[in-house]
Amino acid sequence: MMRVIFSKYHDDRHDNDRGVLLMPDLPTALVTGASSGIGATYADRLARRGHDIVLVARDAPKMEALAGRLRAEFGVSIDILRADLAEEADIAAVEAR
């Protein structure tokens, strides 16, 4: 299951050399299921808009690779949280983040 959590952002101004949307005071987005598929796509789109991101998934190496690419391409901050959301302790760790 993939979820994206963030609040509203402002207007859509673009960084003219990278096509990155720049918006003041953007919230950090938390994306679950972020190691592949739709979750990775959402992470890419949010990073492109200038959001810092917390990636949450079970596959830490895939998240590390995605995080490295997003940091390099869009200059955003990416945190990685390895978690299996079928496990209560991992859910608590995500909630604490």
Side-chain angles (χ1 to χ4, degrees):
M1 174 189 335
M2 184 274 307
R3 293 178 197 236
V4 177
I5 302 168
F6 64 101
S7 61
K8 288 196 256 181
Y9 52 84
H10 308 305
D11 61 26
D12 56 341
R13 291 176 275 165
H14 290 76
D15 175 325
N16 56 13
D17 64 337
R18 293 186 298 173
V20 177
L21 294 172
L22 297 177
M23 297 169 225
D25 302 322
L26 286 175
T28 296
L30 184 142
V31 181
T32 64
S35 59
S36 64
I38 294 170
T41 299
Y42 268 94
D44 182 271
R45 290 180 182 175
L46 290 164
R48 186 176 306 273
R49 290 184 175 129
H51 288 271
D52 291 335
I53 301 171
V54 177
L55 301 175
V56 179
R58 293 176 293 190
D59 192 328
K62 283 185 180 179
M63 285 190 293
E64 289 288 351
L66 175 61
R69 183 179 65 77
L70 297 177
R71 288 179 189 122
E73 285 185 38
F74 306 115
V76 295
S77 175
I78 308 286
D79 291 337
I80 294 173
L81 183 54
R82 193 248 161 250
D84 181 344
L85 297 180
E87 301 293 329
E88 291 296 323
D90 288 357
I91 293 170
V94 173
E95 289 174 344
R97 169 60 178 87

